[in-house]
Amino acid sequence: MALREMEMITNVVTSRSMLLKQLMDPRRDIDHECGYPDTSTVTAQEYQDLYDRHGVATRVVEVLPLEMWKVQPDVYEDEDMDVSTPFEEAWEDLGRNLLVEEDEENLYVGEGGNPIWEYFRRIDVLSGIGHFGVMLLGFGDGKPLSEPVQGTKNQLLFVRCFPESLVDISAWENDQSSPRYGKPKQYLIRFHDLEAGQASIGMPASTMMVHWTRVIHVANTLTSSEHLAVPEMQPVLNNLLDLKKLYGGSAEMYWRGAFPGISIETHPQLGSDVSIETDDVKNAMENYMHGLQRYFALTGITAKSLAPQVVDPSPQIRVQIEAICIQKAIPLRVFIGSERGELASSQDAGAWNDRLMARMKNYATPRLICPFIARMVKYGVLPRPEQFHVNWPDLNQMTDQEKSTVSLQKTEAMAKYVGGGVDQLIEPQNYLTKVLDFTDDEAEEIIEATAGYVEEKEEEEAEQMEEQIAQMEAQGLDQFGKP
């Protein structure tokens, strides 16, 4: 039944694709002329191969996950930092004990190094290669992977992450009365990548059925489907293939052009009466090109060097990378890895941080962290909390250097505001809130503090003046210091 449905879907997609091509321009097929494949025919393994062999394709998949997981969220039940609940303690122990071998103990204590986040980062990358990825949860319930998880008090023994190229969805939920209608029920997972070559020699080629309760299904850029996303490389596949041509073509062009060709010519006046020993000329050329011989011994013919034609591919490569950045809404400097110091535009950095934070809250938390914790709670790996929070760091928080720069600029602006008499034009409350971007409460606090400080200074000056007058009167002097 599933195979028949897949054939029907494929036929519909193919028909729409052909119709679109005819409507666009019936006289030419640009994709065919440029060598671009039909999107519906690109397999998960082909996306995997492109990810493994093409550096820019790897960056397309990894840029968002790697940038986002540079920081780690805090998962807690109670907002009081001095209170540690059983859920919070179990969460810390879950991460600490996940990577240790049997009969070993993890003695590390610290804020970083929690392997849970490393698994999330890994599955975030792998799920973007194809239409989905899976995180296999190894529960210690003693049951085969093909059966549902049993028990309400289990231990998490291991976690494994797999891309689509190593996973097949073998069964779907067809019960329309089930809340899981249309979602996977069984997975066929290949535990060892046979494409790994020498590294896979000796490994058992194990392929096992896995029940959905032991899997966290991860799909990133979802559209109409809830389980099959758009691969990260799909919208920019044409650009990636063009880059592959440019990179390979530039290397081949240099290889051929750096060693110029040689033209063997006879004298024009001799016409066709010249007899050339082709084998001797060929041997001489091969000795010159492949050996250390740096001369020709020629009779009746001459050898001329052909001018190489080497073109700088940088402009064409940059155009393709810019097209990728436009589609992915990624600043160019972030994509190519030069987002450093003064090179980074503050506007680009702010917009990029906003996108990362949106991905943290709209994807990582509801699609990765919450399903994982819910599965851990359901099967007793973690105790049930009353509620839990996931708090991500603010990426737009200023560094110490940025804070000092802003403070200096605001101080200089205030000095000019007071010294230039601008307070006669704009009252302090409006200046602080509308110009310096303080809140109303902060502005009122500054004004009240300033008024109090001025009042104290005036009182101190009045007291000092009275003391000076009293001393002068005691000495019999007037206010001008004369007897």
Side-chain angles (χ1 to χ4, degrees), residues 56 60 236 239-240 243 320-328:
V56 180
V60 167
V236 294
N239 303 105
L240 292 174
L243 281 172
Q320 297 297 332
I321 293 180
E322 286 178 350
I324 293 174
C325 292
I326 290 172
Q327 198 285 326
K328 293 294 181 181

Side-chain angles (χ1 to χ4, degrees), residues 404-424:
S404 62
T405 301
V406 172
S407 299
L408 177 61
Q409 292 174 348
K410 287 186 176 182
T411 302
E412 292 177 348
M414 289 180 183
K416 294 180 180 179
Y417 168 75
V418 175
V422 185
D423 55 333
Q424 302 297 322

